[in-house]
Amino acid sequence: MATESTTDQPTSPPLRIGVALFPGFQALDVFGPLDCLNILSWTHTNMSMSILAATLDPVSTQIPESPHTIGQHVVPTHTFSSPPPLDVLLVPGGLGTRGSPPELLQVIDFIRTVYPSLKYLITVCTGSGVAARAGVLDGRRATTNKLAWKEITALGPNVSWVPRARWVVDGNVWTASGVTAGIDATIAWIEEVFGAEMALEIANGMEHTRHTDPEVDPFADLYGLA
Amino acid sequence: MATESTTDQPTSPPLRIGVALFPGFQALDVFGPLDCLNILSWTHTNMSMSILAATLDPVSTQIPESPHTIGQHVVPTHTFSSPPPLDVLLVPGGLGTRGSPPELLQVIDFIRTVYPSLKYLITVCTGSGVAARAGVLDGRRATTNKLAWKEITALGPNVSWVPRARWVVDGNVWTASGVTAGIDATIAWIEEVFGAEMALEIANGMEHTRHTDPEVDPFADLYGLA
């Protein structure tokens, strides 16, 4: 299936975006990429954005087992059991990816189920560990958060993990390194799909100093990898 | 009042954070800074985070007058008419800062009312235009989004606008340039208040390549300012 997907070129723009949320997701893993996509929608009029979760109750960024921490609640639009058609699924990371709480297991099941119909899967930070647990990274090159490297890579023994990478593209799967790397990966994805001019306009509008080379990764050195 | 505030040093850590939301706020203006503060709360156990809005209904990032655009909904915790005690108020920007919709006028009134009791006011992007309209930037140095420079600076004729700045600090008011500059400003604020080690730990955990010099601003050049 993975091999098929790499040769399955999309024929229409991938405008139907979904995000899989779970308690304890990392806020910026989601809203870095989504801010880019929100801006893209100012000039692309047929986009849709679905926020998927186990239920329609607002989902908090707060770490479930640490009630002293602060968080914010985001409102889902769909449940994993009633998803809309999607071209792209974004999977964030965060401390909520630890262990096997029921909501996270639903995310993993959803990724496994929906992946064959996606044009692109994008993960940010430890979100690649969630995708790995769904089996969809098997046989692929991928990266993840560098501080959580050992913990996450152990979740995907059949994944070819790349330690020095701001992000990695393998077929239709884009995996970004930690948190803000998701912004760079998303802008690079927009460049590939919607063109360099659109990507540059979004980056400049966000006043974002881009990492444009996916192989330049100061955090791989910082954390003693590669 | 502005002069008093610059000499009014806080005596306890500013842990009670609030964010003022309105329809059409820029997602990353909020969740860049909040991700930094969320991480701060992992080690600072007395923090609180209040999401303030005109009502308790979820607030969308969608541009109100552009229903074809996509957006996400965030859940408020308090209304402007029943705010909790706050040490810090964060004011984001976004296309929702245009004109005078009722919800935005409530934000402006709230900033004017709450400012004297704040330890810090932090604005991101065109959020400084909202603060300027509240009068709290009068006589101060401040910056804003560089692409929206003319439009926003016109809102504060008594503000000393700084065109070449990733962010500006004047007394207890921190104003960041466009969108992702809010991440750098917030990490710099954490450095000032909670120390350099904490700031570095957060930046590295987010794998964020910081702008550490507030006067280095490639976007001032890009947009022909300064």
Coordinates of all heavy atoms in Angstrom, one line a residue, chain A residues 134-189:
Chain A
A134 N 0.2 3.3 14.1 CA -0.9 2.9 13.1 C -0.3 2.1 12.0 O -1.1 1.5 11.2 CB -1.6 4.1 12.6
G135 N 1.0 2.0 11.9 CA 1.6 1.1 10.9 C 1.9 1.8 9.6 O 2.5 1.1 8.7
V136 N 1.4 3.0 9.4 CA 1.5 3.6 8.1 C 2.9 4.2 7.7 O 3.1 4.6 6.6 CB 0.4 4.7 7.9 CG1 -1.0 4.2 8.1 CG2 0.7 5.9 8.9
L137 N 3.8 4.2 8.7 CA 5.1 4.6 8.4 C 6.1 3.4 8.1 O 7.2 3.6 7.7 CB 5.7 5.4 9.5 CG 5.0 6.7 9.9 CD1 5.8 7.5 10.9 CD2 4.7 7.6 8.7
D138 N 5.6 2.2 8.2 CA 6.4 1.0 8.0 C 7.1 1.1 6.6 O 6.4 1.3 5.6 CB 5.6 -0.3 8.2 CG 5.3 -0.6 9.6 OD1 5.9 0.1 10.5 OD2 4.6 -1.6 9.9
G139 N 8.4 0.9 6.6 CA 9.1 0.9 5.3 C 9.4 2.3 4.8 O 10.0 2.4 3.7
R140 N 9.0 3.3 5.5 CA 9.2 4.7 5.1 C 10.3 5.3 5.9 O 10.6 5.0 7.0 CB 8.0 5.5 5.3 CG 6.8 5.1 4.3 CD 5.8 6.2 4.3 NE 4.7 5.9 3.5 CZ 4.6 6.0 2.2 NH1 5.6 6.5 1.5 NH2 3.5 5.7 1.5
R141 N 10.9 6.4 5.3 CA 11.7 7.3 6.0 C 10.9 8.3 6.7 O 9.9 8.8 6.2 CB 12.7 8.1 5.0 CG 13.7 7.1 4.3 CD 14.4 7.8 3.2 NE 15.3 8.8 3.7 CZ 15.2 10.1 3.5 NH1 14.1 10.6 2.9 NH2 16.1 11.0 4.0
A142 N 11.2 8.7 7.9 CA 10.4 9.6 8.7 C 11.3 10.2 9.8 O 12.4 9.7 10.1 CB 9.2 8.9 9.4
T143 N 10.8 11.3 10.4 CA 11.5 11.9 11.5 C 10.5 12.3 12.6 O 9.3 12.0 12.5 CB 12.4 13.1 11.1 OG1 13.4 13.4 12.1 CG2 11.5 14.4 10.8
T144 N 11.1 12.8 13.7 CA 10.2 13.1 14.9 C 11.0 14.1 15.7 O 12.0 14.6 15.4 CB 9.9 11.9 15.7 OG1 8.8 12.2 16.6 CG2 11.1 11.3 16.4
N145 N 10.3 14.5 16.8 CA 10.9 15.4 17.8 C 12.3 14.8 18.3 O 12.4 13.7 18.6 CB 10.0 15.5 19.0 CG 10.5 16.3 20.2 OD1 11.4 16.0 20.8 ND2 9.8 17.4 20.4
K146 N 13.3 15.7 18.4 CA 14.7 15.2 18.7 C 14.9 15.0 20.1 O 15.7 14.2 20.5 CB 15.7 16.2 18.1 CG 15.6 16.4 16.6 CD 15.8 15.1 15.8 CE 15.0 15.0 14.5 NZ 15.2 16.1 13.6
L147 N 14.2 15.7 21.0 CA 14.3 15.5 22.4 C 13.7 14.2 22.8 O 14.1 13.5 23.8 CB 13.7 16.7 23.2 CG 13.8 16.7 24.7 CD1 15.2 16.6 25.2 CD2 13.1 17.9 25.3
A148 N 12.6 13.8 22.1 CA 11.9 12.6 22.4 C 12.3 11.4 21.5 O 11.5 10.4 21.3 CB 10.4 12.8 22.3
W149 N 13.5 11.5 20.9 CA 13.9 10.6 19.8 C 13.8 9.2 20.2 O 13.2 8.4 19.5 CB 15.3 11.0 19.4 CG 15.9 10.2 18.3 CD1 16.7 9.1 18.3 CD2 15.5 10.4 16.9 NE1 16.9 8.6 17.0 CE2 16.2 9.4 16.1 CE3 14.7 11.3 16.2 CZ2 16.2 9.3 14.8 CZ3 14.6 11.2 14.8 CH2 15.3 10.2 14.1
K150 N 14.5 8.8 21.3 CA 14.5 7.4 21.7 C 13.1 6.8 21.9 O 12.8 5.7 21.5 CB 15.4 7.2 22.9 CG 16.9 7.3 22.6 CD 17.7 6.9 23.8 CE 19.2 7.0 23.5 NZ 20.0 6.7 24.7
E151 N 12.3 7.6 22.7 CA 11.0 7.1 23.0 C 10.1 6.9 21.8 O 9.4 5.9 21.7 CB 10.4 8.2 23.9 CG 9.0 8.0 24.4 CD 8.4 9.2 25.1 OE1 9.2 10.1 25.5 OE2 7.2 9.3 25.2
I152 N 10.2 7.8 20.9 CA 9.3 7.8 19.7 C 9.8 6.8 18.7 O 9.0 6.0 18.1 CB 9.1 9.2 19.0 CG1 8.6 10.2 20.1 CG2 8.3 9.1 17.8 CD1 7.2 9.8 20.6
T153 N 11.1 6.8 18.4 CA 11.6 5.8 17.4 C 11.3 4.4 17.8 O 11.1 3.5 16.9 CB 13.1 6.1 17.0 OG1 13.8 6.0 18.2 CG2 13.2 7.5 16.4
A154 N 11.3 4.1 19.1 CA 11.0 2.8 19.5 C 9.6 2.3 19.2 O 9.4 1.1 19.1 CB 11.2 2.7 21.1
L155 N 8.7 3.3 18.9 CA 7.4 2.9 18.5 C 7.2 2.4 17.1 O 6.2 1.8 16.7 CB 6.4 4.1 18.7 CG 6.3 4.7 20.1 CD1 5.6 6.0 20.1 CD2 5.7 3.7 21.1
G156 N 8.3 2.6 16.3 CA 8.2 2.2 14.9 C 9.5 1.5 14.5 O 10.3 2.0 13.8
P157 N 9.6 0.2 14.9 CA 10.8 -0.5 14.6 C 11.0 -0.8 13.1 O 12.1 -1.1 12.7 CB 10.6 -1.9 15.4 CG 9.1 -1.9 15.7 CD 8.6 -0.5 15.8
N158 N 9.9 -0.7 12.3 CA 10.1 -0.9 10.9 C 10.1 0.4 10.1 O 10.0 0.4 8.9 CB 8.9 -1.8 10.4 CG 8.9 -3.1 11.1 OD1 9.9 -3.8 11.2 ND2 7.7 -3.6 11.5
V159 N 10.3 1.5 10.8 CA 10.4 2.8 10.2 C 11.9 3.1 10.0 O 12.7 2.8 10.9 CB 9.7 3.9 11.0 CG1 9.8 5.3 10.3 CG2 8.3 3.5 11.3
S160 N 12.3 3.8 8.9 CA 13.6 4.2 8.7 C 13.7 5.6 9.2 O 13.5 6.6 8.5 CB 14.0 4.2 7.2 OG 15.3 4.6 7.0
W161 N 14.0 5.8 10.5 CA 14.0 7.1 11.2 C 15.3 7.9 10.7 O 16.4 7.4 10.8 CB 14.0 6.9 12.7 CG 12.7 6.3 13.2 CD1 12.6 5.0 13.6 CD2 11.5 6.9 13.4 NE1 11.3 4.8 14.0 CE2 10.6 6.0 13.9 CE3 11.0 8.2 13.1 CZ2 9.2 6.2 14.1 CZ3 9.7 8.5 13.4 CH2 8.8 7.5 13.9
V162 N 15.0 9.2 10.4 CA 16.1 10.0 10.0 C 16.4 11.0 11.1 O 15.6 11.9 11.4 CB 15.7 10.8 8.7 CG1 16.8 11.7 8.2 CG2 15.2 9.8 7.6
P163 N 17.6 10.9 11.7 CA 17.9 11.8 12.8 C 18.2 13.3 12.5 O 17.8 14.1 13.3 CB 19.1 11.1 13.5 CG 19.7 10.3 12.4 CD 18.6 9.9 11.5
R164 N 18.8 13.5 11.4 CA 19.1 14.9 11.0 C 18.2 15.4 10.0 O 18.4 15.2 8.8 CB 20.6 15.0 10.5 CG 21.0 16.5 10.3 CD 22.4 16.6 9.7 NE 23.4 16.1 10.5 CZ 23.9 16.7 11.6 NH1 23.4 17.9 11.9 NH2 24.8 16.2 12.4
A165 N 17.0 15.9 10.4 CA 16.0 16.4 9.4 C 15.1 17.4 10.1 O 14.6 17.1 11.2 CB 15.2 15.2 8.9
R166 N 14.9 18.5 9.5 CA 13.8 19.4 9.9 C 12.5 18.8 9.6 O 11.5 18.9 10.3 CB 14.0 20.8 9.2 CG 13.1 21.9 9.7 CD 13.4 22.4 11.1 NE 12.6 23.5 11.4 CZ 12.5 24.0 12.7 NH1 13.1 23.4 13.7 NH2 11.7 25.0 13.0
W167 N 12.5 18.2 8.4 CA 11.3 17.3 8.0 C 11.8 16.3 7.0 O 12.8 16.5 6.4 CB 10.1 18.2 7.5 CG 10.3 18.8 6.2 CD1 10.0 18.2 4.9 CD2 10.9 20.1 5.9 NE1 10.3 19.1 3.9 CE2 10.9 20.3 4.5 CE3 11.4 21.1 6.6 CZ2 11.3 21.4 3.8 CZ3 11.8 22.3 6.0 CH2 11.8 22.4 4.6
V168 N 10.9 15.3 6.8 CA 11.2 14.2 5.8 C 10.0 14.0 5.0 O 8.9 14.0 5.5 CB 11.6 12.9 6.6 CG1 11.6 11.7 5.6 CG2 13.0 13.0 7.3
V169 N 10.2 13.8 3.7 CA 9.1 13.5 2.8 C 9.4 12.1 2.2 O 10.5 11.9 1.7 CB 9.1 14.5 1.6 CG1 7.9 14.2 0.7 CG2 9.0 15.9 2.1
D170 N 8.5 11.2 2.3 CA 8.6 9.9 1.7 C 7.3 9.6 1.1 O 6.3 9.3 1.8 CB 9.0 8.8 2.7 CG 9.3 7.5 2.0 OD1 8.9 7.3 0.9 OD2 10.1 6.7 2.6
G171 N 7.2 9.6 -0.2 CA 5.9 9.4 -0.9 C 5.0 10.5 -0.5 O 5.3 11.7 -0.6
N172 N 3.8 10.1 -0.1 CA 2.8 11.1 0.3 C 2.8 11.4 1.8 O 1.9 12.0 2.4 CB 1.4 10.7 -0.2 CG 0.9 9.4 0.6 OD1 1.7 8.8 1.2 ND2 -0.4 9.1 0.4
V173 N 3.8 11.0 2.5 CA 3.9 11.2 3.9 C 5.0 12.2 4.3 O 6.2 12.0 3.9 CB 4.2 9.8 4.7 CG1 4.4 10.1 6.2 CG2 3.1 8.8 4.4
W174 N 4.6 13.2 5.0 CA 5.5 14.3 5.4 C 5.5 14.2 6.9 O 4.5 14.4 7.6 CB 5.0 15.7 5.0 CG 4.9 15.9 3.5 CD1 4.3 15.2 2.6 CD2 5.6 17.0 2.8 NE1 4.5 15.7 1.3 CE2 5.3 16.8 1.4 CE3 6.4 18.0 3.2 CZ2 5.9 17.6 0.5 CZ3 6.9 18.9 2.2 CH2 6.7 18.7 0.9
T175 N 6.7 14.0 7.5 CA 6.9 14.0 8.9 C 7.8 15.2 9.3 O 8.9 15.3 8.8 CB 7.5 12.7 9.4 OG1 8.7 12.4 8.7 CG2 6.5 11.6 9.3
A176 N 7.4 16.0 10.3 CA 8.2 17.1 10.7 C 8.8 16.8 12.1 O 8.3 16.0 12.8 CB 7.3 18.4 10.8
S177 N 9.9 17.5 12.3 CA 10.6 17.3 13.6 C 9.8 18.1 14.7 O 8.6 18.3 14.5 CB 12.0 17.8 13.5 OG 12.8 17.5 14.6
G178 N 10.4 18.5 15.8 CA 9.6 19.1 16.9 C 8.9 20.4 16.6 O 9.4 21.3 16.0
V179 N 7.7 20.5 17.1 CA 6.8 21.7 17.2 C 7.0 22.7 16.0 O 6.2 22.6 15.0 CB 7.0 22.4 18.5 CG1 5.9 23.4 18.8 CG2 7.0 21.4 19.7
T180 N 7.9 23.7 16.1 CA 7.9 24.7 15.1 C 8.4 24.2 13.7 O 8.2 24.9 12.7 CB 8.8 25.9 15.5 OG1 10.2 25.4 15.7 CG2 8.3 26.6 16.8
A181 N 9.0 23.0 13.7 CA 9.4 22.4 12.4 C 8.1 22.1 11.6 O 8.2 22.1 10.4 CB 10.1 21.1 12.6
G182 N 7.0 22.0 12.3 CA 5.7 21.8 11.5 C 5.4 23.0 10.6 O 4.7 22.8 9.6
I183 N 5.8 24.2 11.1 CA 5.5 25.4 10.2 C 6.3 25.3 8.9 O 5.8 25.5 7.8 CB 5.9 26.7 11.0 CG1 5.0 26.8 12.3 CG2 5.7 27.9 10.1 CD1 5.4 27.9 13.2
D184 N 7.6 24.9 9.1 CA 8.5 24.8 7.9 C 8.1 23.7 7.0 O 8.1 23.9 5.8 CB 9.9 24.6 8.4 CG 10.5 25.8 9.1 OD1 10.4 26.9 8.6 OD2 11.1 25.6 10.2
A185 N 7.7 22.6 7.6 CA 7.2 21.5 6.7 C 5.9 21.8 6.0 O 5.8 21.5 4.8 CB 7.0 20.2 7.6
T186 N 5.0 22.5 6.7 CA 3.8 22.9 6.0 C 4.0 23.9 4.9 O 3.4 23.8 3.8 CB 2.8 23.4 7.0 OG1 2.6 22.4 8.0 CG2 1.4 23.8 6.4
I187 N 4.9 24.8 5.1 CA 5.2 25.8 4.1 C 5.8 25.1 2.9 O 5.6 25.4 1.7 CB 6.0 27.0 4.6 CG1 5.2 27.8 5.6 CG2 6.4 27.9 3.5 CD1 5.9 28.9 6.3
A188 N 6.7 24.1 3.2 CA 7.4 23.4 2.1 C 6.3 22.5 1.3 O 6.4 22.4 0.1 CB 8.5 22.5 2.7
W189 N 5.4 22.0 2.1 CA 4.3 21.2 1.4 C 3.5 22.1 0.5 O 3.1 21.8 -0.6 CB 3.4 20.5 2.5 CG 2.3 19.8 2.0 CD1 2.3 18.5 1.5 CD2 0.9 20.2 1.9 NE1 1.0 18.2 1.1 CE2 0.1 19.2 1.3 CE3 0.3 21.4 2.2 CZ2 -1.2 19.3 1.0 CZ3 -1.1 21.6 1.9 CH2 -1.8 20.5 1.4

